[in-house]
């Protein structure tokens, strides 16, 4: 803390510059910082670096590790090492195939090392004879000469860069700004401004959790002394980021519980028995547990906010039906929202079947309704004359009002998050919420993006499921696969042929029409085959689905409109065309359309992967049928970046933490956040004031934390 300067007694402070506060100083525009000026400030602006503070938190995207420095005669093959020397020779030449090679020989003491760069035209003028440089890479001995391919290079005399002796940061750049320039600017900013930074954690907290103070960590994240320092520094910043998020989520949950009122809907023995009578099968242990958790929530006067996840085909629907009937049994209304018309209609049919003998008044709201019919239904719903509404999310969120809504169920929802909960609120009392996910979600993601929800997980599948076989094939295998496909159709099974649609454009529709025509007149001409895609009207889609469900159609050629939820147990065959166009979760969802009954199922994906990533994805897909395992794999392949579209959840993205690498810290941060909010629910204690402020600044709006504190 900077001590206050005593002011002369009695002097009125008009026209005198007041001592700027730390916050004001940290807000100094970058233009006024050492080494910047107006022109560079414009470049920095492009990186969204406007104030001194932004520079401090402009974290490296990577590091150049120059810490293992060697003489040439001490080099070891294959290990990351650094050699320092003087450029002796530079040659740049084109290759016969139109590429280019840059070769740079450096003299390092008594030895010589050659750096080679292939096809990097822009490197052409990078080096000059006589320059002092360091090259860092994994060396290889070619004959008598040591070589490095694509080594990292630093020119020592450029911009007075101090001799590189350790680990240097690599920042994101913009055109016109060099790495050494931004390093210099950041280094200067750190020197001046880090001492002004405020520490959010009390001293004892830092000690108890073995965390570095911010003022120590931040400089080391930029210019670490060594790997250990970098790890410690990063750990501190990651912990803080995750902890603040977990605090916000914990506070949100507590507030939800404390401030919102929902109807008490208890599953009495009588109600429970009445509901179960309607189910045509015994429930699995996983379904039972989910139902128990849901019933416990709904029996409380605070709104349930629960995520139900289970692999495709694990039987989530019946769990939702239980919850809905529980609400209806108490005279409340309930609504089931699906992402597609097809799925909404399927749910309506399932409910019709189960509730045929019951008094539950049902309505289906779909896009195909006439305006008059629609208006009539809306009126009934508003008057409380309908108990159970099924429809697509789009339609229901638009303009339906309920008389006494007790439970909202959202099926197959990926993009549900903290923010959407606000919809369908009614005055005074809140409905309970149950969200079912399309695909299992990695645990780290449920803990962050869905961190304000309670989670129920169904791990087991209904009994009697047969094996599901997946093949990855190329065009040579086509004839054989169709042979097999036809044989199974003749045995009475049904199948899907899925064609990717990158967009629902006219051209794309033409291409699915083509697939349909060629199958109908070729491989599958002896069979009854139908077509379904997103550009068809709801009525056309329904008709095609109905005929398939009834077995009139043996094969359905479709786009990913069947991706979620569709349940036709007799369908056991699936052909996926151009599998490389689908994401892993999507492939798994598609495959989830088969293996839903008592026959073995077969999925063949034809693929032509163009990138290592899509190859990896397809390999993962055939390696496992476990959705939970695939979700983790997908997460690893794609990285945490956009898997569940953080932005769509309305939460600001994590900047430092890496959810796959930092799992343990996430667990720790969550535990710590929970024990802190258990002791001080609204973070009202003075020692938590800074944490509270930081939490509000970052998540107050996104999580609607309102007036906490
Ligand atoms: P998802 O979890 O993918 O939504 P569904 O709820 O559509 O799965 O259920 C998949 C299929 O399994 C449906 O045909 C359903 O009738 C059936 N099913 C669900 N639970 C059981 C059970 N306990 N025993 C037998 N079949 C079940
Ligand atoms: Mg489902």
């Amino acid at each position: 803390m900077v001590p206050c300067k005593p002011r002369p007694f009695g002097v009125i402070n008009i026209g005198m510059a007041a001592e700027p506060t730390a916050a004001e100083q940290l807000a100094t525009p970058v233009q006024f910082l050492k080494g910047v000026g107006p022109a560079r400030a414009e470049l920095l602006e492009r990186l969204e670096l406007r104030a001194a503070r932004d520079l401090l938190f402009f974290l490296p995207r990577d590091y150049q590790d120059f810490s293992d420095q060697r003489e040439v005669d001490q080099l070891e093959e294959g290990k990351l090492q650094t050699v320092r020397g003087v450029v002796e020779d530079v040659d740049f030449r084109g290759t016969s195939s139109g590429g280019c090679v840059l070769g740079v020989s450096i003299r390092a003491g008594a030895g010589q090392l050659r750096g080679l760069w292939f096809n990097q035209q822009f490197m052409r003028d990078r080096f000059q004879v006589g320059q002092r440089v360091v090259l860092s890479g994994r060396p290889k001995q070619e004959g008598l000469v040591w070589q490095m391919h694509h080594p990292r290079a630093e020119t020592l005399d450029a911009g007075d860069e101090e001799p590189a002796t350790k680990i240097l940061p690599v920042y994101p750049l913009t055109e016109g700004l060099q790495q050494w320039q931004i390093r210099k600017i950041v280094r200067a900013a750190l020197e001046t401004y880090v001492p002004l930074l405020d520490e959010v954690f009390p001293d004892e907290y830092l000690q108890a959790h073995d965390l570095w103070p911010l003022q120590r960590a931040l400089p080391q994240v930029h210019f670490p002394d060594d790997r250990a320092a970098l790890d410690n520094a990063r750990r501190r910043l990651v912990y803080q980021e995750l902890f603040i998020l977990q605090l916000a989520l914990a506070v949100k949950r507590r507030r939800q519980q404390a401030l919102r009122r929902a109807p008490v809907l208890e599953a009495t023995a009588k109600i429970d028995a009445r509901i179960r009578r309607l189910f045509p099968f015994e429930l699995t242990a996983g379904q039972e547990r989910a139902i128990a958790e849901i019933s416990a929530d709904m029996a409380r006067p605070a709104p349930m906010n629960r995520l139900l996840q289970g692999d495709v085909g694990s039987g989530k629907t019946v769990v939702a039906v239980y919850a809905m009937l529980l609400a209806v049994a108490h005279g409340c209304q309930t609504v089931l929202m699906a992402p597609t018309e097809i799925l909404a209609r399927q749910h309506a049919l399932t409910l019709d079947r189960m509730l045929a003998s019951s008094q539950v008044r049902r309505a289906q709201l779909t896009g195909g309704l006439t305006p008059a019919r629609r208006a009539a239904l809306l009126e009934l719903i508003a008057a409380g004359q309908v108990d159970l509404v099924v429809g697509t999310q789009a339609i229901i969120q638009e303009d339906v009002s309920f008389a006494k809504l007790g439970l909202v169920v959202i099926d197959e929802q990926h993009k549900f998050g903290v923010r959407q909960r606000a919809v369908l609120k009614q005055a005074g009392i809140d409905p309970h919420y149950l969200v079912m996910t399309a695909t299992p979600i990695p645990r780290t993601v449920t803990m962050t993006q869905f961190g304000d929800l309670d989670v129920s997980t169904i791990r087991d599948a209904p009994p009697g499921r047969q094996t599901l076989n997946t093949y990855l094939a190329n065009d040579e295998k086509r004839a054989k696969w169709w042979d097999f496909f036809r044989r199974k159709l003749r045995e009475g099974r049904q199948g899907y042929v899925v064609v990717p649609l990158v967009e629902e454009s006219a051209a794309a529709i033409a291409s699915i029409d083509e697939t349909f025509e060629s199958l109908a007149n070729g491989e599958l001409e002896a069979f009854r085959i139908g077509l379904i895609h997103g550009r068809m009207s709801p009525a056309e889609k329904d008709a095609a689905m109905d005929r398939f469900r009834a077995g009139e159609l043996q094969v359905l050629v479709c786009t990913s409109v069947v991706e979620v939820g569709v349940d036709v147990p007799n369908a056991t065959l699936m052909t996926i065309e151009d599998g490389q166009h689908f994401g892993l979760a999507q492939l798994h969802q598609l495959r989830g359309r088969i293996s839903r009954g008592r026959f073995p199922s077969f999925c063949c994906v034809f693929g032509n992967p163009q990138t290592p990533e899509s190859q990896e994805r397809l390999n993962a897909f055939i390696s496992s049928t476990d959705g939970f395992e695939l979700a983790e794999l997908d997460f690893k392949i794609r990285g945490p970046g956009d898997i569940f579209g953080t932005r769509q959840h309305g939460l600001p993205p994590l900047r430092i933490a890496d959810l796959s690498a930092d799992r343990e810290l996430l667990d720790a941060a969550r535990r710590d956040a929970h024990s802190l909010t258990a002791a001080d629910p609204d973070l009202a204690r003075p020692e938590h004031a800074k944490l509270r402020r930081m939490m509000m600044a970052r998540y107050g709006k996104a999580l609607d934390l309102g007036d906490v504190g």
Side-chain angles (χ1 to χ4, degrees), residues 181-203:
Q181 293 171 323
I182 182 84
R183 279 182 192 151
K184 228 173 130 177
I185 293 168
V186 171
R187 198 192 284 274
L190 288 167
E191 264 163 39
T192 316
Y193 293 97
V194 162
L196 298 169
L197 283 173
D198 210 6
E199 176 63 60
V200 284
F201 291 110
D203 274 350

Side-chain angles (χ1 to χ4, degrees), residues 249-261:
L249 291 167
V251 168
K252 169 84 181 170
R253 273 162 57 127
R254 284 181 168 273
R255 285 169 62 81
Q256 208 121 264
Q257 300 284 312
L259 302 179
R260 302 261 178 95
R261 283 283 150 266

Side-chain angles (χ1 to χ4, degrees), residues 281-284 287 311-317 462 465 567 596:
F281 37 64
E282 294 271 303
L283 298 180
T284 64
Q287 288 169 326
D311 208 343
V312 281
S314 62
K316 296 182 286 289
T317 312
R465 285 283 153 82
D567 183 40
R596 300 175 80 83

Side-chain angles (χ1 to χ4, degrees), residues 11 37 48 150 185 372 391 462 465 648 695 697:
V11 174
E48 294 182 30
H150 295 262
I185 293 168
R465 285 283 153 82
Q648 277 149 345
M695 171 189 85

Side-chain angles (χ1 to χ4, degrees), residues 266-279:
E266 199 189 336
T268 61
K270 208 167 130 198
I271 292 176
D272 179 76
R274 248 190 3 216
I275 297 175
R276 282 168 191 269
R277 260 209 310 274
L278 300 169
F279 296 158

